[in-house]
Amino acid sequence: AQSVTQLGSHVSVSEGALVLLRCNYSSSVPPYLFWYVQYPNQGLQLLLKYTSAATLVKGINGFEAEFKKSETSFHLTKPSAHMSDAAEYFCAVRRFNRDDKIIFGKGTRLHILP
Amino acid sequence: GEEVAQTPKHLVRGEGQKAKLYCAPIKGHSYVFWYQQVLKNEFKFLISFQNENVFDETGMPKERFSAKCLPNSPCSLEIQATKLEDSAVYFCASSRRVEDGYTFGSGTRLTVV
């Protein structure tokens, strides 16, 4: 079965600093991987997705993530944090080429310090 | 339209009452998913549809929860005899292809009192 583990339920970074949100996946078959962001009282917005093409995926709002099969990781990064990046971030996995549901991690709350 | 429309935004029910939530997926999206988000922020999968057919209902508490996606109508999620623990935000999402991520609606906040 697939699963994702997000390391750190809360991460704080200073404005302008590097953002690194960690995600490790477990999947018996090649996965699709996703990062979503949730702002307060809103639904989830797709930031980026890995679908077996390029291992470095660029998303919206300056975020990117790198698929590393050897480390079973899909960490999310952004070179310079903005105050507007404060939100909950969810890593998610889905089996490749299957009509499966997406399985979400437990989320990481990103705090931006002025 | 290009958004998943969920109604109502807020719903308050007394314990034991029925609750019905609606979701209009994006036109052309054949997959619909329902998730429950409780206070811990975890997303619990409930059920998925491919067009009007139930695809996966492994997350549904079947004794009280039911869902439908009928042609030319919004999809619905119904909870008979609500319980306090049903209080949550219920999200609907749709997608066109397997490799796509979901597009989520803004959710329905159900409060059972």
Side-chain angles (χ1 to χ4, degrees):
Chain A
Q2 315 91 271
S3 66
V4 288
T5 301
Q6 292 185 241
L7 300 177
S9 57
H10 292 266
V11 170
S12 296
V13 302
S14 297
E15 192 174 17
L18 171 71
V19 175
L20 171 61
L21 303 182
R22 299 178 186 273
C23 172
N24 288 89
Y25 70 90
S26 172
S27 179
S28 55
V29 297
Y32 292 126
L33 293 161
F34 308 87
W35 275 98
Y36 285 85
V37 61
Q38 186 179 30
Y39 297 101
N41 301 314
Q42 294 188 26
L44 291 173
Q45 181 182 8
L46 180 66
L47 276 178
L48 48 81
K49 62 181 179 181
Y50 167 75
T51 57
S52 79
T55 56
L56 182 62
V57 181
K58 294 187 184 297
I60 61 172
N61 301 340
F63 284 94
E64 62 182 37
E66 187 172 5
F67 172 72
K68 290 187 177 180
K69 185 177 179 181
S70 60
E71 298 177 7
T72 61
S73 69
F74 190 58
H75 302 331
L76 181 71
T77 61
K78 181 174 180 177
S80 177
H82 293 177
M83 295 301 290
S84 60
D85 294 327
E88 189 90 18
Y89 291 80
F90 293 88
C91 182
V93 65
R94 189 182 201 182
R95 286 194 298 176
F96 181 78
N97 201 30
R98 294 288 187 273
D99 298 344
D100 276 351
K101 56 188 173 288
I102 288 177
I103 305 296
F104 289 90
K106 295 185 178 181
T108 297
R109 170 83 57 180
L110 177 63
H111 304 272
I112 309 298
L113 307 174
Chain B
E2 289 301 309
E3 65 172 25
V4 176
Q6 288 190 249
T7 55
K9 290 192 181 302
H10 302 277
L11 190 59
V12 180
R13 288 290 179 265
E15 213 174 354
Q17 290 186 318
K18 182 173 74 174
K20 195 164 186 177
L21 292 61
Y22 297 93
C23 167
I26 292 173
K27 191 175 182 180
H29 284 196
S30 55
Y31 296 91
V32 172
F33 304 83
W34 284 97
Y35 285 82
Q36 179 194 56
Q37 186 182 32
V38 294
L39 286 175
K40 289 183 179 179
N41 281 340
E42 293 186 40
F43 281 84
K44 178 189 174 187
F45 169 78
L46 294 176
I47 189 169
S48 62
F49 290 83
Q50 185 178 10
N51 298 310
E52 64 268 23
N53 303 308
V54 174
F55 190 78
D56 181 349
E57 56 182 347
T58 53
M60 286 283 272
K62 291 183 183 177
E63 62 277 8
R64 296 185 299 110
F65 284 59
S66 62
K68 294 179 185 177
C69 275
L70 300 176
N72 303 313
S73 296
C75 297
S76 64
L77 176 68
E78 189 167 341
I79 309 172
Q80 302 285 345
T82 53
K83 297 183 177 182
L84 295 176
E85 68 242 35
D86 298 332
S87 294
V89 182
Y90 291 82
F91 286 100
C92 174
S94 68
S95 71
R96 186 166 60 92
R97 301 177 303 172
V98 169
E99 60 267 36
D100 292 341
Y102 300 163
T103 300
F104 276 82
S106 55
T108 293
R109 182 176 296 277
L110 172 66
T111 303
V112 181
V113 297

